[in-house]
Amino acid sequence: RLSEVTGGGRRRPAAVETGRGDTPSALARRVRTLVPYSPATMQRVQRQLHGAGFTGEWPALLFSAAQLVLPAAVLVAGLTFYGRSGQPLALSVLAALFAYYLPHLWLERQIERRRTEIRNGLPDAIDLLIVCIEAGSGIDQALMRVSEELHIAYPTLAHELELVTAEMRAGKPRIEAFKNFATRTGVD
């Protein structure tokens, strides 16, 4: 229900993501059987991707597939172009190892970029929140107004504040909604 109210996650490729929320589509379940990772590993990858702003089942599946296919492709390309013995083989294996870690490096960079954007927008959000509350708005209304105002300058922070207000409208206590915000963003 919450994903319906907020419009789901951000940066979701329309051609790939068909399901919403935590329930994967039938296609995602079928593709999931092809990925040789445990459910616990997939949940960890999903949490990391959510920290980077990618939500749903498909980003985790695509990330895991990239982690498996990219090294294989690099290894095959290295062996095809440079040969199968001696130093070219060793370089191809090293390139494949680097290709295995490349998605992780990209993901860590995306997570840090998102955290930085949220961290940079928090002072402006707090200032606007104070102005709205001093003008007589309630906290819930002030949060909605702040998320609307920050939508252009800090879209990631605005989206997270929209999630906070949606959680509060859905009945979660305010403190729990803010704890969820802190957990989702990883910003202190």
Side-chain angles (χ1 to χ4, degrees), residues 23 27 38 54 57 83 96 105 110 121-122 125 130 135 149 152-153 159 179 185:
T23 50
L27 180 60
S38 69
F54 300 99
E57 182 81 10
L105 295 173
Q110 291 298 108
L122 275 176
I130 290 170
E149 292 295 326
I152 293 174
H159 175 71
K179 283 182 181 178
T185 60

Side-chain angles (χ1 to χ4, degrees), residues 75-122:
L75 183 63
V76 167
L79 294 176
T80 301
F81 291 119
Y82 298 113
R84 293 187 175 106
S85 63
Q87 189 176 10
L89 176 64
L91 289 176
S92 296
V93 169
L94 283 175
L97 286 173
F98 177 74
Y100 178 77
Y101 287 107
L102 195 61
H104 278 293
L105 295 173
W106 172 83
L107 181 59
E108 289 299 321
R109 184 178 170 114
Q110 291 298 108
I111 290 170
E112 191 54 40
R113 182 179 294 160
R114 185 169 189 262
R115 283 183 183 162
T116 301
E117 182 180 338
I118 291 172
R119 208 176 281 125
N120 289 343
L122 275 176

Side-chain angles (χ1 to χ4, degrees), residues 121 124-125 128 145-158 161:
D124 290 340
L128 283 172
R145 181 67 180 173
V146 168
S147 67
E148 290 170 5
E149 292 295 326
L150 292 178
H151 191 60
I152 293 174
Y154 303 103
T156 303
L157 179 58
L161 291 176

Side-chain angles (χ1 to χ4, degrees), residues 12-187:
R12 177 181 296 136
V16 176
E17 180 66 43
T18 57
R20 288 194 171 244
D22 293 331
T23 50
S25 67
L27 180 60
R29 283 192 301 266
R30 276 189 240 133
V31 171
R32 171 65 186 95
T33 61
L34 301 174
V35 177
Y37 291 134
S38 69
T41 302
M42 289 301 290
Q43 285 178 351
R44 181 182 53 80
V45 168
Q46 262 185 306
R47 277 194 309 272
Q48 287 177 325
L49 284 165
H50 186 69
F54 300 99
T55 59
E57 182 81 10
W58 278 107
L61 291 172
L62 293 174
F63 179 83
S64 299
Q67 216 176 6
L68 297 172
V69 171
L70 194 59
V74 168
L75 183 63
V76 167
L79 294 176
T80 301
F81 291 119
Y82 298 113
R84 293 187 175 106
S85 63
Q87 189 176 10
L89 176 64
L91 289 176
S92 296
V93 169
L94 283 175
L97 286 173
F98 177 74
Y100 178 77
Y101 287 107
L102 195 61
H104 278 293
L105 295 173
W106 172 83
L107 181 59
E108 289 299 321
R109 184 178 170 114
Q110 291 298 108
I111 290 170
E112 191 54 40
R113 182 179 294 160
R114 185 169 189 262
R115 283 183 183 162
T116 301
E117 182 180 338
I118 291 172
R119 208 176 281 125
N120 289 343
L122 275 176
D124 290 340
I126 291 171
D127 287 344
L128 283 172
L129 193 62
I130 290 170
V131 168
C132 290
I133 290 172
E134 285 178 350
S137 296
I139 293 177
D140 299 343
Q141 183 65 32
L143 275 173
M144 285 178 29
R145 181 67 180 173
V146 168
S147 67
E148 290 170 5
E149 292 295 326
L150 292 178
H151 191 60
I152 293 174
Y154 303 103
T156 303
L157 179 58
H159 175 71
E160 288 296 333
L161 291 176
E162 288 170 2
L163 285 176
V164 170
T165 58
E167 286 178 352
M168 290 188 303
R169 282 186 293 179
K172 280 193 180 178
R174 187 175 293 132
I175 189 74
E176 189 177 335
F178 280 115
K179 283 182 181 178
N180 290 344
F181 168 77
T183 303
R184 277 192 311 268
T185 60
V187 176

